[in-house]
Amino acid sequence: MHTSKKIIIAMDSFKGCLTSTQAGNAVAEGIMNVFPHSKIILLPVSDGGDGMLDACTQAVRGEMIHIEVCGPLLERHNAYYGISPDKKIAIIEMAVASGLASIPQEKQNPMYTTSYGTGQLIRDALDKGCRKFIIGLGGSATNDGGLGMLQALGVRFLNSYDEELCASHTYTPASAMHGALLAQVERIDTSAIHPAIKDSQFIVACDVQSPFYGPNGAAYVFAPQKGANPQEVKTLDEGLQHLAEIICDTTGKDISQLPGAGAAGGMGGSMVAFFHAKLIPGAQLILDMLDFRTIIQDADFIITGEGKSDRQTLMGKIPSGILSEAIRQNIPVILLSGSIENVDELNRAGFAAVFSSTPAPLSLAQATESQTAFSNLRSAAEQLGRLINLYDIPPAKQ
């Protein structure tokens, strides 16, 4: 048949394997083998973690700025962020500067990691004139309550002797605020904070609903994933509880039980308290920036996917956000992911069809090798296209 169609390809990244753009390109190559004359629109998407930086920077038609910062263990680290053509909007992905993936597993420990490098990215963008910030908090290595980030922006932290903790005046410190120091903070001095912050807007992509501390807070939920043992988790949680009181005394804001305050080891809470940041779901942020609602009008179908899809996909992840808008416009959505679980639930939610791109048998190491994953995704998309070419797929249910 090879009829001309309008096809939207909106793939999330396959974590540690393919970026959103690479995954989208693989699907596009496969589909174009079947529909060579169709209008194919590629939209890199993300729910606030891997891929957010690329997706948002593309949405504002921006460029990447590369700078050297301090990594989570204060090692020299090459990082980057997106900036709009008019230098007014900065897009920052915390994982680029302060990410867990940048640390060897044997060195991972949120007692000693810092968000200082993320603060350096913000500072550089402020110095370049940016006044609107879009920040993704996924993938962090830290549980420092955002203090390292604040320190890089001029905030000082003092102990009970009124001595500055990790004193730094050059913004390239030999040491920086980290999780083990939370309980020592008795006073926060914001008098030297970067002056442009008060004139800036901060929008934070945050899909975590954890409070600042407590059984469901930053330390107990996420610190074990970052290398903390049970005693360290307890110490970090007590430190965050203490810090929440100091932050309330300093800013007048009680972030202790604020949903999302525990994101990125407490970074979400500090950004709300000191920057008046707005925490919003990452999927919503990306789709709004892309003007997704308008772009997909009159599309014949949408292909979306991620590394693994299961019932958690329906809890605010990007394919779920795409599906919700598609249902409103009566556009069928096909889910094509690396691996699939809970197929019946995904179908009941409204996906017209659900496919895995990974043929069996393959080990996880084989399936997540970049070239193999790209080839498998491209092949699966082509076979999917052949089916679509034979049979019209039903619209997404309303």
Side-chain angles (χ1 to χ4, degrees), residues 188 212-213 241-258 261 268-278:
I188 300 175
F212 202 62
Y213 63 83
Q241 184 171 351
H242 169 76
L243 179 63
E245 297 175 2
I246 305 300
I247 288 176
C248 190
D249 291 342
T250 304
T251 68
K253 293 186 178 181
D254 180 3
I255 59 169
S256 59
Q257 298 305 309
L258 176 70
S270 284
M271 297 201 80
V272 169
F274 292 93
F275 298 165
H276 310 289
K278 181 179 181 182

Side-chain angles (χ1 to χ4, degrees), residues 67-71 74 77 81 92 97 115-127 148-149 152-153 170-173:
I67 66 169
E68 185 179 275
V69 300
C70 294
L74 290 175
H77 185 71
Y81 63 93
I92 291 173
S115 58
Y116 193 96
T118 298
Q120 289 177 296
L121 292 181
I122 295 172
R123 186 177 190 90
D124 190 76
L126 286 167
D127 290 344
M149 176 270 299
L153 291 164
T170 63
Y171 308 105
T172 53

Side-chain angles (χ1 to χ4, degrees), residues 187-201:
R187 187 164 67 87
I188 300 175
D189 178 7
T190 62
S191 61
I193 195 169
H194 197 294
I197 287 177
K198 68 179 185 302
D199 300 317
S200 300
Q201 175 188 9

Side-chain angles (χ1 to χ4, degrees), residues 1-2 30-31 33-35 379-391:
M1 297 181 188
H2 299 295
I31 289 294
N33 286 338
V34 184
F35 299 105
S379 178
E382 180 173 348
Q383 296 308 310
L384 175 60
R386 289 175 180 272
L387 280 176
I388 294 169
N389 197 38
L390 289 173
Y391 307 101

Side-chain angles (χ1 to χ4, degrees), residues 68-90:
E68 185 179 275
V69 300
C70 294
L73 291 175
L74 290 175
E75 72 280 15
R76 295 175 65 172
H77 185 71
N78 293 319
Y80 51 92
Y81 63 93
I83 192 169
S84 61
D86 63 2
K87 304 296 190 289
K88 297 301 181 185
I89 303 173

Side-chain angles (χ1 to χ4, degrees), residues 71-73 75 77 95-105 107-108 139 141:
L73 291 175
E75 72 280 15
H77 185 71
V96 171
S98 311
L100 187 64
S102 67
I103 308 175
Q105 187 171 1
K107 294 184 178 181
Q108 294 174 1

Side-chain angles (χ1 to χ4, degrees), residues 5-155:
K5 295 180 178 293
K6 177 179 177 180
I7 304 166
I8 308 296
I9 298 174
M11 302 294 291
D12 198 352
S13 62
F14 283 35
K15 190 171 184 179
C17 181
L18 298 173
T19 67
S20 302
T21 299
Q22 289 169 334
N25 286 337
V27 173
E29 286 186 19
I31 289 294
M32 286 181 68
N33 286 338
V34 184
F35 299 105
H37 304 298
S38 290
K39 179 180 181 181
I40 295 178
I41 299 176
L42 273 173
L43 297 174
V45 293
S46 166
D47 55 17
D50 291 344
M52 188 215 79
L53 178 56
D54 287 339
C56 288
T57 303
Q58 178 173 307
V60 301
R61 296 179 174 84
E63 63 174 317
M64 294 296 182
I65 302 296
H66 293 258
I67 66 169
E68 185 179 275
V69 300
C70 294
L73 291 175
L74 290 175
E75 72 280 15
R76 295 175 65 172
H77 185 71
N78 293 319
Y80 51 92
Y81 63 93
I83 192 169
S84 61
D86 63 2
K87 304 296 190 289
K88 297 301 181 185
I89 303 173
I91 302 104
I92 291 173
E93 196 169 304
M94 186 176 178
V96 171
S98 311
L100 187 64
S102 67
I103 308 175
Q105 187 171 1
E106 66 274 11
K107 294 184 178 181
Q108 294 174 1
N109 189 332
M111 291 285 287
Y112 306 108
T113 49
T114 180
S115 58
Y116 193 96
T118 298
Q120 289 177 296
L121 292 181
I122 295 172
R123 186 177 190 90
D124 190 76
L126 286 167
D127 290 344
K128 285 182 168 61
C130 294
R131 295 298 179 264
K132 180 176 181 180
F133 288 78
I134 298 165
I135 300 180
L137 297 186
S140 73
T142 58
N143 200 117
D144 68 352
L147 299 193
M149 176 270 299
L150 291 170
Q151 183 187 18
L153 291 164
V155 177

